[in-house]
């Protein structure tokens, strides 16, 4: 399964969720597939997407938060898995799209061919942690995660195939504004 | 100033989300915030993670405070420049000053020397806390933080907050 198709599957399942996507191709692909005010495209600060999402989820327990991160991003801040496990937010879904490399910078290998991220997540206290490697199982488990109590973690193995998509063309301060407004508009 | 008094000063200025990584200079503040449900301090694994948490909390309507040792400022540079400053996220950084005037353990001396330059070069407004002016300093920093939508820093030397 291509990562682009995995994001497409996730995007079609979204209803009222807030998405924080990591820097690099993942934000670009999400921007192309489904741009919405409820997306926060993290352009820099590699590794911090789950921390930003955790901040939103703790401050706004009635918002449902989805993190889209790569294996490089997730490996960079494994410690955040511990913070998620400890704070255990019910409204939090962490999706790792794992192509075993830093694709945005030229495909340099990461350690995720060895590191079992879903097991690290589980042992960090994220009990609902699954490994998926097909469109069908991704859809099944993502829909399940949307309707069940979190935190949830989905380790999604994807192929290392680059799809040509444009950069995120929204100014960072505009991304903040849109996201803040969408959160304000959320009914209590 | 007593830590309880200081925490109440933060609270009355609208700060309502607290996260960070400990330092012995900040220990009385963090202990108080961790034991009081009103503050519900979130313990982060690294200082840049705390800044990420603060950014998320701000976007969800909170006014965050990040507590850290000045060593953590080094850890936080990219989180500040490519996230908090880039996306214009106001937050208060409470940074302890280890290595002040070169009198400290060796690992604190370099950062102790260049910390203020770091903040200055990133254009993060900063005040070195003085017990007699603390209320006024907090007011000034809060004002800049809201007006410029930027992180601001209050620097705490040993003994200023007891």
């Amino acid at each position: 399964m291509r990562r682009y198709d995995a994001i497409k599957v996730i995007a079609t399942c979204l209803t009222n969720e807030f998405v924080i996507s990591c820097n690099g191709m993942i934000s670009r692909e999400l921007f192309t597939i489904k741009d919405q005010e409820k997306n926060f495209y993290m352009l820099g600060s590699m590794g911090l997407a789950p921390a930003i999402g955790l901040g939103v989820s703790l401050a706004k327990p009635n918002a449902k938060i989805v993190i889209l991160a790569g294996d490089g991003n997730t490996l960079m801040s494994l410690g955040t898995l511990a913070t998620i496990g400890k704070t255990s937010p019910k409204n939090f879904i962490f999706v790792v799209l794992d192509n075993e490399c830093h694709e945005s910078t030229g495909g340099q290998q990461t350690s995720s061919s060895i590191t079992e991220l879903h097991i690290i997540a589980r042992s960090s206290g994220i009990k609902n942690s699954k490994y998926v490697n097909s469109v069908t199982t991704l859809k099944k488990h993502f829909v399940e995660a949307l309707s069940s109590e979190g935190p949830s973690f989905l380790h999604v193995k994807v192929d290392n195939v680059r799809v040509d998509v444009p950069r995120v063309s929204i100014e960072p301060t505009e991304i903040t504004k849109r996201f803040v407004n969408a959160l304000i508009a959320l009914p209590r | 100033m007593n830590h309880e008094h200081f925490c109440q000063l933060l609270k009355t200025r609208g700060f309502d989300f607290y996260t960070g990584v400990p330092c012995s200079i900040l220990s009385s503040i963090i202990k108080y915030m961790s034991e009081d449900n009103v503050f519900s301090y979130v313990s982060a694994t690294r200082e840049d993670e705390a800044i990420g948490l603060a950014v998320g909390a701000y976007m969800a309507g909170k006014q965050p405070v990040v507590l850290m040792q000045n060593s953590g400022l080094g850890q936080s540079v990219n989180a500040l420049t490519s996230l908090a400053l880039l996306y214009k996220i106001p937050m208060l950084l409470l940074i302890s000053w280890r290595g002040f005037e070169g009198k400290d353990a060796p690992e604190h001396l370099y950062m102790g020397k260049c910390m203020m330059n770091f903040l200055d070069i990133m254009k993060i407004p900063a005040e070195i806390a003085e017990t007699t002016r603390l209320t006024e300093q907090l007011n000034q920093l809060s004002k800049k933080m809201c007006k410029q939508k930027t992180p601001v820093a209050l620097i705490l030397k040993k003994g200023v907050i007891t």
Side-chain angles (χ1 to χ4, degrees):
Chain A
M1 151 177 59
R2 296 185 306 175
R3 184 188 51 225
Y4 189 84
D5 297 322
I7 295 177
K8 253 187 175 167
V9 167
I10 289 164
T12 51
C13 296
L14 293 174
T15 51
N16 206 23
E17 291 76 18
F18 291 79
V19 185
I20 290 96
S21 56
C22 75
N23 57 309
M25 295 307 292
I26 290 179
S27 272
R28 290 168 64 165
E29 289 178 356
L30 177 66
F31 176 65
T32 307
I33 292 165
K34 186 177 181 158
D35 179 39
Q36 53 166 3
E37 296 209 327
K38 293 195 283 284
N39 291 353
F40 183 83
Y41 306 107
M42 187 187 78
L43 302 177
S45 62
M46 183 164 171
L48 295 191
I52 298 168
L54 182 59
V56 179
S57 80
L58 293 175
K60 203 95 173 177
N62 59 331
K64 194 113 192 170
I65 312 304
V66 176
I67 310 298
L68 296 184
D71 45 306
N73 255 272
T74 307
L75 287 164
M76 192 177 252
S77 49
L78 285 176
T80 304
L81 290 174
T83 313
I84 296 162
K86 171 86 170 158
T87 50
S88 203
K90 294 185 170 70
N91 54 345
F92 191 86
I93 305 171
F94 190 154
V95 181
V96 179
L97 301 157
D98 173 15
N99 63 358
E100 302 184 357
C101 73
H102 295 285
E103 191 197 307
S104 306
T105 52
Q108 301 86 349
Q109 274 190 6
T110 69
S111 66
S112 68
S113 56
I114 301 295
T115 315
E116 296 188 88
L117 292 169
H118 58 293
I119 294 177
I120 297 182
R122 195 174 300 141
S123 57
S124 303
I126 307 174
K127 297 216 166 49
N128 183 21
S129 177
K130 300 263 166 38
Y131 174 87
V132 300
N133 59 3
S134 74
V135 166
T136 332
T137 51
L138 169 60
K139 190 163 186 183
K140 176 177 176 281
H141 288 302
F142 187 69
V143 169
E144 227 172 74
L146 284 176
S147 61
S148 53
E149 205 169 86
S152 307
F153 188 90
L154 283 184
H155 182 184
V156 187
K157 250 332 158 187
V158 293
D159 302 328
N160 177 20
V161 180
R162 188 165 181 140
V163 178
D164 196 24
V165 287
R167 286 182 180 277
V168 176
S169 57
I170 310 167
E171 286 296 316
T173 49
E174 187 55 33
I175 296 172
T176 308
K177 247 185 239 162
R178 296 185 343 156
F179 197 75
V180 166
N181 288 338
L183 276 162
I184 290 171
L186 185 73
R188 277 179 194 273
Chain B
M1 183 181 284
N2 171 274
H3 61 271
E4 191 177 340
H5 184 196
F6 178 68
C7 291
Q8 293 304 326
L9 277 184
L10 295 175
K11 200 175 106 185
T12 53
R13 269 148 198 81
F15 293 103
D16 55 0
F17 186 90
Y18 301 85
T19 181
V21 177
C23 170
S24 57
I25 291 178
L26 306 170
S27 65
S28 61
I29 304 172
I30 293 178
K31 185 166 184 280
Y32 181 76
M33 286 177 174
S34 306
E35 287 168 358
D36 190 321
N37 278 338
V38 173
F39 292 94
S40 60
Y41 174 83
V42 181
S43 173
T45 55
R46 300 198 336 182
E47 295 81 358
D48 56 346
E49 179 187 293
I51 287 170
L53 281 158
V55 168
Y58 168 77
M59 293 195 294
K62 298 282 185 184
Q63 189 49 72
V65 177
V66 176
L67 296 97
M68 65 171 80
Q69 188 175 84
N70 55 352
S71 56
L73 183 62
Q75 194 74 267
S76 302
V77 170
N78 189 46
L80 288 167
T81 55
S82 80
L83 183 63
L85 289 162
L86 180 69
Y87 289 84
K88 286 197 183 290
I89 308 291
M91 64 179 71
L92 174 63
L93 310 172
L94 289 180
I95 306 174
S96 67
W97 196 341
R98 297 298 305 263
F100 176 65
E101 288 181 338
K103 289 176 223 144
D104 209 327
E107 68 272 25
H108 294 298
L109 300 186
Y110 273 101
M111 190 48 102
K113 226 179 190 176
C114 60
M115 167 181 68
M116 296 312 290
N117 293 340
F118 263 124
L119 290 167
D120 187 46
I121 215 161
M122 288 192 283
K123 295 196 164 49
I124 292 177
E127 290 275 336
I128 300 164
E130 295 169 36
T131 318
T132 51
R133 292 181 54 234
L134 202 44
T135 308
E136 181 200 329
Q137 287 178 308
L138 265 179
N139 289 344
Q140 280 175 4
L141 284 175
S142 298
K143 217 171 156 185
K144 273 187 195 162
M145 177 188 81
C146 295
K147 203 173 166 209
Q148 300 173 27
K149 290 200 182 307
T150 177
V152 295
L154 183 68
I155 313 301
L156 297 172
K157 290 184 206 163
K158 195 177 175 181
V160 173
I161 308 294
T162 54

